[in-house]
Amino acid sequence: MCSSDLLGMLLLVSAGWALILRKRVEQQTGVVRRQLHEQQQLQQRYHDLFEKNPHPMWVYDPKTLRYLDVNETAIQRYGYSRQEFLNMTLLDMRPEEERERFLKEVQKGMALADQHGSLWLHRKKDGTLLEVEITSRGIIFDGKVARMVLAHDVTERIRAEKKLQESEKRRSEEHTSELQS
């Protein structure tokens, strides 16, 4: 075999390998693109679950108690803008009489434990007080330990329960006085 034949075969084999490698790179690029697209869709889904949740939600830093993110419902219900929330701490939303209790919970580490249904008072921007049940959980947010909170406004339910208790108490007192008569 002459050197030109060897060179021709070498070029043919090289071209074949180049085509095979190109095809593999194209396949891998397609796989990476699909995975990236799926990851972006997943991130969007979870973002929507937070942002479009019908309950106020926020994420805060457990060390500084600063808000890191809030959803649109929190902005609408509490009356603070997103930027106002991000410049606040959790203490800023609490009435004076709740702050000490909250700080004690933080010191005991309770603010770091998962919470389900703990009752708190929150102050809206206009000064209105809300009674809320808090559900919270630890998460990693932007690579840092954080807490995600869902606040369920139970103000009306608690008012209705108090009215019912008062009504039942009056009825009981009226019944007792009728029996004594």
Side-chain angles (χ1 to χ4, degrees), residues 117 119 133 152-163:
L119 283 173
E133 282 181 347
H152 181 228
D153 184 356
V154 292
T155 307
E156 291 305 316
R157 184 186 83 197
I158 289 177
R159 283 184 191 151
E161 288 171 358
K162 286 178 183 175
K163 283 182 181 179

Side-chain angles (χ1 to χ4, degrees), residues 4-173:
S4 65
D5 288 341
L6 272 172
L7 185 59
M9 282 180 51
L10 186 60
L11 286 172
L12 188 59
V13 169
S14 295
W17 275 110
L19 285 172
I20 290 170
L21 289 174
R22 181 178 178 197
K23 192 71 164 168
R24 285 188 180 167
V25 166
E26 287 173 357
Q27 288 172 343
Q28 290 299 316
T29 301
V31 167
V32 168
R33 282 187 181 140
R34 276 192 303 282
Q35 289 174 340
L36 181 59
H37 179 71
E38 290 169 3
Q39 184 179 21
Q40 288 169 336
Q41 285 182 320
L42 187 60
Q43 286 175 337
Q44 185 63 46
R45 250 186 301 195
Y46 282 107
H47 175 76
D48 288 349
L49 285 172
F50 175 79
E51 193 59 45
K52 296 177 181 179
N53 195 298
H55 294 286
M57 293 181 74
W58 50 84
V59 177
Y60 74 93
D61 180 328
K63 291 179 184 173
T64 65
L65 303 179
R66 288 213 163 278
Y67 292 93
L68 302 174
D69 199 3
V70 295
N71 72 356
E72 191 60 37
T73 306
I75 292 166
Q76 291 171 1
R77 295 260 173 87
Y78 285 84
Y80 299 102
S81 70
R82 185 176 306 277
Q83 195 56 49
E84 286 173 315
F85 265 114
L86 297 180
N87 289 328
M88 294 168 52
T89 71
L90 298 182
L91 289 173
D92 297 326
M93 183 190 294
R94 285 166 166 55
E96 196 63 43
E97 62 271 15
E98 285 278 307
R99 290 179 182 184
E100 186 178 328
R101 177 179 149 221
F102 179 73
L103 287 173
K104 284 181 183 176
E105 294 293 312
V106 170
Q107 288 169 352
K108 288 193 296 188
M110 294 304 292
L112 300 178
D114 286 355
Q115 294 182 9
H116 303 284
S118 57
L119 283 173
W120 293 94
L121 282 176
H122 286 175
R123 184 180 309 279
K124 294 170 48 171
K125 185 175 182 177
D126 68 7
T128 305
L129 292 179
L130 300 174
E131 295 186 69
V132 295
E133 282 181 347
I134 295 296
T135 301
S136 72
R137 171 159 288 211
I139 63 168
I140 300 298
F141 183 81
D142 287 340
K144 299 178 199 165
V145 173
R147 304 282 307 161
M148 182 170 60
V149 175
L150 181 141
H152 181 228
D153 184 356
V154 292
T155 307
E156 291 305 316
R157 184 186 83 197
I158 289 177
R159 283 184 191 151
E161 288 171 358
K162 286 178 183 175
K163 283 182 181 179
L164 181 61
Q165 288 171 351
E166 290 169 4
S167 174
E168 288 174 351
K169 183 179 177 185
R170 276 194 309 271
R171 224 179 268 151
S172 175
E173 289 170 353

